[in-house]
Every structure is written in structure tokens, then in C-alpha cells.
Amino acid sequence: MSSTFGDKIKISVFGESHGSGIGVVIDGLPAGEKIDMDAVLAQMARRAPGRDKTATPRKESDLPKILSGMLGDTLTGAPLCAVIENTNTRSQDYSNLLTKPRPGHSDYTAFVKYRASNDIRGGGHFSGRITAPIVFAGAVCRQLLEKKGVKIAAHIERIGNVTDERFDPVDISPELMERLSKSSFALINTEKEAAMRAEVESARLDMDSVGGVIECAVTGLPAGVGEPMFDGVEGAIAKAVFGVPAVKGIEFGAGFELARMRGSASNDPFRYENGSVVTETNNCGGILGGITDGMPVIFRAAIKPTPSISKPQKTVDLQTGENAELEVRGRHDPCIVPRAVPVIEAVAAVAVLNLM
């Protein structure tokens, strides 16, 4: 079971949702760089459970314990290892899942792949809980990127049928990036929050869940980052983003809308502005031929609804070999989209730092 990403900056995630702890090892970080741990903890808090009605009521402090790689506030160059203790588990809630896999979840495929030896409690290593150490890794990487003038921020573009505004693809203000990167319910148009919360509450009261879309922007990247074909910027970011549980789709720039356009409309015209080459539009999402063109890199990730819902669902009994019905117990998010925003930012930070 391999959970690693990157080559120059390599992260390795470990632990299970209901194990004693979860964590990450980060290899390749430069020695001598100072890390603001208060800023790291602020990112961790945006993802932490039990702090919002749209999330699971399971409360975890999500305070990382640094085991190696830092001396005071400074990176030593050794592998940076952080562990987060699991303190609020109710493993008995998952006893009925040992033989009855949840539809839409990894229970069945993990049962087959690991010959019924995988930890099913809370989803084990497949749980969204594992994104906590990913946010730690991303929070460290984004501080190194900010020293290079690169900023990352995301927002909730959609929950169910309620949509936010999208980023201006050619002009994203530093103030907006800063505000979104600190928000626990990140929206460009904050007036949309009430309607989105109502969408989540409607699903929760119906013993159901709802998904959405997260839009992420990376600004300050110079032209020329990335490689063609298999080592392109899209591929690197997409691989990292698909490592986040519940992500089922990604598009860059205008994405699938490009299929409706003619070349005369989809091409981004070049011009000089203050001595630099810019594009008048940004349908390509800041990437041409797998290489950055200096415009904001923009992508959107589709997040599926949480598969653990209280409604009765059809499944199978792997022990008896018969069809069965399942009612999922436990504490689950009616919508994971708000908490997934800092996770998408985090994996983007790890991917972009690798590219640079």
C-alpha cells in the first residue's frame, strides 16, 4: 500500500483513521528555511473536523507533533516527520462494514486487494482523515513557495446546485488570494454561503450527502515551469489532486467547455504588458504544452458526495454471498467540500514546489 508523491520533494503519508495516529514524512526540504508553525496550524484548523455543522461531529485537535526535521522553527534538511494523534474514535460504529461494503466507498475494492486484511474502521487508510497530514505537508510547502512569490488559494465553486463566482482568469488580486487562503468557508461571493449551507442541511436532514466543485488558483508562477507530455504541469497537479479521497474529476482553465469552442475563441491572444508577455484570456489555465505561460494556473476539482449516508442502501454480504441492505452508523460529513478546500490547496502546493 504505497501512499507517496513527488521526487524532489517527496511526501509519504501513513496511518489509519482509527489507529493511534496518522502522519507524514517529507523528504527533500531545504535546510535553513524557517517555518511559521502558527500559519501551519491555521491551515490545519481549516480542515479539522467537528467545527462546523456541514462537517462530521467527530472532534479532533489535529495538532501535529514534529518528530524530526526541525530545530526550533528551522528546517534541518533531515526528513521532516509529523504525527497527529487520533483521540476521538468510535470503532464499534464500523463493525457491520466488515462484511457489508458501503456503496461508493473503497470498502469492497480494499477487501479484494488486501485479502480482507485492511483496517475498515473509519475507512482505515482510505479515510478522508488521512488528509490532515497532507494539509501539514502542504502548509510547509506553501510557505517555501510564498518566499518565491507564488501564492495558492481555492474556494467552493459549487455545492450541489448552488454556485459561487469563478476566479477572474487573468487578474486575481493578492487580497482575494489572502482572504480565501485563510477562510474556513472559502467563497469569492460570501453572499452565497447561506444558500450553500441550506443545500448541505437539506441533504443532512434527508439522511443524505451532497458534493461539489473546488476551484484553485496558483499565482506568481513564472513562464517556463514544467515539461512536455508526461511531466507536464497538468499531469503533476492532477496526480496530486487525485490523491485526495472523493475527487472524481479535474479540469484546467476553460476545461471541458473548450470542446464547445472554435480555435478562434479558445486561443488566448498574446500581448506585451509592462515589458512582459501576457494573454488577454486564459482558457488554457496558465499552461501551454505542459509548461506554464506566466498567467494564473487555474483548475477545478469535482468532489463526489460522501458515500457514508444514513439512508438504507443496497449492498452484498461478503461472508454469506447474498444480497443485503446496509444502514451506515457513525459520524460522517453531509458535505466534505468546505473541509476539502485546504486539502486541494495543500496538494497543489506540494505538486508546484516539486515542479519548481
Side-chain angles (χ1 to χ4, degrees):
M1 194 181 288
S2 176
S3 297
T4 62
F5 174 83
D7 48 10
K8 299 177 182 68
I9 305 294
K10 181 178 179 180
I11 69 168
S12 199
V13 181
F14 61 88
E16 289 95 12
S17 178
H18 284 208
S20 58
I22 53 179
V24 64
V25 177
I26 314 171
D27 289 296
L29 294 172
E33 296 284 353
K34 292 187 181 298
I35 299 299
D36 182 349
M37 281 303 298
D38 287 338
V40 171
L41 294 177
Q43 292 300 320
M44 303 286 292
R46 294 173 67 207
R47 193 223 68 93
R51 307 188 185 199
D52 193 283
K53 199 172 182 180
T54 62
T56 170
R58 174 181 176 177
K59 291 183 181 293
E60 293 282 4
S61 61
D62 280 4
L63 294 175
K65 180 180 180 181
I66 309 298
L67 300 186
S68 67
M70 284 186 71
L71 189 60
D73 63 352
T74 306
L75 296 175
T76 65
L80 177 60
C81 179
V83 174
I84 301 165
E85 186 179 2
N86 289 327
T87 60
N88 187 358
T89 60
R90 292 197 330 213
S91 299
Q92 67 274 13
D93 289 341
Y94 297 87
S95 58
N96 63 330
L97 304 181
L98 291 172
T99 59
K100 295 179 180 179
R102 286 168 286 185
H105 204 281
S106 63
D107 297 342
Y108 171 66
T109 52
F111 176 90
V112 175
K113 175 76 173 179
Y114 301 107
R115 295 175 290 179
S117 296
N118 59 296
D119 187 349
I120 199 71
R121 301 169 304 164
H125 191 66
F126 294 85
S127 170
R129 176 96 186 108
I130 305 301
T131 61
I134 293 176
V135 171
F136 172 85
V140 171
C141 290
R142 75 192 296 163
Q143 290 190 35
L144 300 181
L145 286 170
E146 286 171 357
K147 293 176 182 179
K148 300 175 183 289
V150 177
K151 292 189 176 294
I152 298 174
H155 70 106
I156 304 166
E157 194 271 336
R158 170 188 293 271
I159 288 180
N161 292 314
V162 183
T163 59
D164 187 18
E165 298 172 13
R166 287 186 174 181
F167 283 118
D168 181 326
V170 297
D171 185 19
I172 307 175
S173 72
E175 293 77 19
L176 176 61
M177 296 288 286
E178 184 73 9
R179 176 173 69 81
L180 293 176
S181 67
K182 294 180 177 180
S183 176
S184 60
F185 202 98
L187 292 169
I188 294 176
N189 182 355
T190 56
E191 293 180 0
K192 296 287 187 173
E193 180 172 348
M196 286 189 177
R197 288 188 176 277
E199 190 89 343
V200 176
E201 182 66 1
S202 175
R204 187 185 72 84
L205 292 175
D206 199 29
M207 299 188 298
D208 216 329
S209 62
V210 64
V213 175
I214 294 170
E215 185 178 48
C216 185
V218 184
T219 61
L221 271 174
V225 175
E227 302 287 343
M229 297 188 68
F230 305 115
D231 293 318
V233 175
E234 293 106 328
I237 292 176
K239 182 176 181 180
V241 169
F242 277 118
V244 179
V247 171
K248 298 302 289 185
I250 189 169
E251 63 176 1
F252 291 82
F256 285 96
E257 285 301 314
L258 290 168
R260 303 173 185 267
M261 299 181 185
R262 291 188 173 186
S264 55
S266 70
N267 291 342
D268 299 315
F270 292 111
R271 74 163 188 264
Y272 275 107
E273 186 175 281
N274 299 322
S276 297
V277 174
V278 298
T279 59
E280 293 182 358
T281 55
N282 192 13
N283 292 317
C284 68
I287 306 163
L288 293 168
I291 302 169
T292 57
D293 65 8
M295 299 299 289
V297 169
I298 299 175
F299 67 89
R300 285 171 293 279
I303 310 294
K304 72 176 183 178
T306 316
S308 295
I309 59 176
S310 299
K311 281 181 178 292
Q313 300 180 80
K314 293 180 180 179
T315 186
V316 293
D317 191 314
L318 297 170
Q319 190 171 44
T320 66
E322 298 175 342
N323 294 326
E325 188 174 83
L326 174 69
E327 291 188 24
V328 178
R329 301 190 293 267
R331 301 163 293 178
H332 305 286
D333 299 74
C335 180
I336 65 169
V337 177
R339 293 176 60 210
V341 169
V343 184
I344 296 299
E345 293 175 354
V347 292
V350 176
V352 170
L353 189 60
N354 263 279
L355 288 164
M356 296 188 73

